Amino acid sequence: MMDKMKNLRYFVERILDEVSLTVIMNAITNWNKIVDCQVSIEASCDLTSEQTLEKAFTCPNLHALVTWSKLGKALPECWSNLVSSKLRFLDLFESKIEDDPMSTLGKLPYLIRLRLYWESFVEDDPMTCTENSVLRLKRLTLRGLPKLREWRVEGGAMPLLSLLRIAECSSLEMVPEGLSSISTLQTLVIEGMPELSERLSPSRQDFHKVRHVPSILIEDHSSPSIFYGVGRGINGETKRGMKLGCH
């Protein structure tokens, strides 16, 4: 059946097991007319084998991937073949990655949006965006990574980043110094992190890292949101140094 779909242009699928993953990825590889291909891999599919994970990350015609499956230590084994990947959108939920995820994900050549959710990274080692990595990334979300203590951004990393959202990363002590070099960053959102938010207020020690960002939105669930800067907010509306209602 999959062989009869070579002229397909749009495809969305939910994968529950490794056999289905192999069949679908092999088929997608041969769909040369596909323009939008999205796959969601559920937790029931075992991706801890590097061979299984590699099928998803290196499939040349897959454009958007969501996975709820544990990755463990399998991710670094894929790095050498990522040059063939066309992934533009990647969401990882509860992946429990045990190595710095950016050392591998940073090599995805077409990645535009990356969202790491709910214990996708479970080690307390630094997470590093190395020099000249994730060159096309425009939107990054880090949410619910309680063991993330240090995040480093080297010069030349994420040169096109426009939206950064950091939420509920309770151990993260500060934003990276390297953010100060990303001139394209338009919006920074901090949610549920009062200590980090305090460091980013205009009179405190880390504000110099983000003072060039037109829109900085601090969202604390226990108090009204606070906006710093002049520019266009999340939904495009113009704001000017004001307090905003809770969202």
Side-chain angles (χ1 to χ4, degrees), residues 19-73:
V19 174
S20 298
L21 176 65
T22 298
V23 171
I24 290 172
M25 290 303 161
N26 287 343
I28 292 173
T29 300
N30 296 315
W31 293 349
N32 295 324
K33 295 183 180 181
I34 196 83
V35 295
D36 187 1
C37 183
Q38 305 176 31
V39 166
S40 176
I41 301 177
E42 298 300 311
S44 55
C45 183
D46 183 8
L47 292 180
T48 55
S49 163
E50 61 267 21
Q51 291 85 4
T52 305
L53 181 62
E54 189 174 39
K55 289 183 176 69
F57 272 80
T58 62
C59 181
N61 293 323
L62 180 61
H63 306 126
L65 174 64
V66 177
T67 175
W68 294 83
S69 182
K70 178 181 176 181
L71 304 185
K73 289 185 171 295

Side-chain angles (χ1 to χ4, degrees), residues 64 80 105 113 195 219:
S80 61
L105 301 180
R113 188 194 71 202
E195 294 182 4
E219 296 187 342

